[in-house]
Amino acid sequence: MRLEGVESTLAGTTVSEAVIETRQAGSIEVEVHGHRSEACRELAGAIAERVRQRAAEGRVYVLGLPTGSTPVPLYAELVRLHREEGLSFANVVTFNLDEYYGLSPENPQSYHAFMRKHLFDHVDIPREQTHIPDGTVARDQADQHCRDYEAAIRDAGGIDLMLLGIGHNGHIGFNEPGALEASRTRLVRLDEVTRHMAATAFGDHDHVPEEAITVGVATILEAREIVLMAWGSLKAKAVARAVRPPVEAAVPATYLQRHDAVKFLLNKGSATWMDPS
Ligand code: GLP
């Protein structure tokens, strides 16, 4: 990761012993850890260092945040750093990637609820510095809401570090197969693969919302730096496809190849593509 000022934590000789392998896949730097918890500890440490550095300069640090099972150990480690090592989030501004359309912030399946449960309720981030698309916005006001979301990102100075997971179909945020590189925050229809994967969380497939509001591919690519996390063999195929040409709308994560500061943080399971045997 080319985060200025945190190279000492992440690059070269002082990189944690838990790193099994680092390699370059085209423009994408890939780091494989033995276990997801080790990968998250290292990433959380790098974020903490940058947050503290910005605080000392009297500046904010702007994070783009994902949901799903993937970032849970990262958020747990950030909470631990807050509780045990005094890391303050007072100068952190966050923008979540997406929200299910039709779910209120109180709905336990909403990404609002997810973020409160895993991060926001446990750290000192001022609530007005957190942003998540509103899944309850009226349909005829959705476009305006999405434009306002983009404007809020710009007003915050842009996203410093965009954290991502990856869908089994190669989606990032809810930019499903077919999403355009120039896409911006918008209301989208969810892919059936995505709805299928979410069925357990919602009780059954029919209860999974059919639409969501997601930031766009262009919004993601404007972030200064991007770290995509993926754990476990179920993600190996999507990861393998994401790092290899061609860049194509059928696999939106391939658009990340166009960015010059992207890192994929993997564990052994999600990196099985590295060993073709
Ligand atoms: C959802 C989110 C994505 C996330 C993906 C993977 O679809 N919108 O941002 O990356 O799930 O989820 P998980 O981390 O649970 O595998």
Side-chain angles (χ1 to χ4, degrees), residues 95 144-158 185:
F95 290 91
Q144 187 58 52
H145 176 64
C146 293
R147 281 195 294 275
D148 292 347
Y149 202 74
E150 292 276 342
I153 293 174
R154 281 196 301 277
D155 290 349
T185 304

Side-chain angles (χ1 to χ4, degrees), residues 123-216:
V123 297
D124 62 340
I125 189 164
R127 209 41 71 89
E128 64 278 11
Q129 288 171 205
T130 67
H131 306 82
I132 306 178
D134 180 1
T136 67
V137 70
R139 200 166 282 279
D140 63 357
Q141 281 157 37
D143 282 355
Q144 187 58 52
H145 176 64
C146 293
R147 281 195 294 275
D148 292 347
Y149 202 74
E150 292 276 342
I153 293 174
R154 281 196 301 277
D155 290 349
I159 291 171
D160 290 303
L161 174 62
M162 175 67 81
L163 300 170
L164 297 174
I166 184 168
H168 291 78
N169 59 1
H171 75 208
I172 44 176
F174 274 135
N175 292 287
E176 299 284 25
L180 299 178
E181 185 170 2
S183 58
R184 289 284 168 185
T185 304
R186 67 204 185 287
L187 182 61
V188 295
R189 290 203 78 74
L190 295 178
D191 189 78
E192 274 313 301
V193 172
T194 301
R195 294 190 67 235
H196 178 75
M197 296 310 299
T200 315
F202 280 88
D204 76 76
H205 180 267
D206 290 348
H207 290 123
V208 182
E210 293 183 354
E211 294 169 289
I213 294 178
T214 182
V215 300

Side-chain angles (χ1 to χ4, degrees), residues 66-71 97-98 111 165-168 171-174 194 235:
T67 47
S69 57
T70 303
L97 285 164
D98 45 23
Y111 287 160
I166 184 168
H168 291 78
H171 75 208
I172 44 176
F174 274 135
T194 301
K235 294 290 174 77

Side-chain angles (χ1 to χ4, degrees), residues 1-4 6-7 24 27-29 225 260-262:
M1 184 156 69
R2 277 151 282 187
L3 289 180
E4 269 170 57
V6 294
E7 284 87 348
Q24 203 68 29
S27 60
I28 296 179
E29 186 188 345
E225 292 171 295
D260 63 2
V262 182

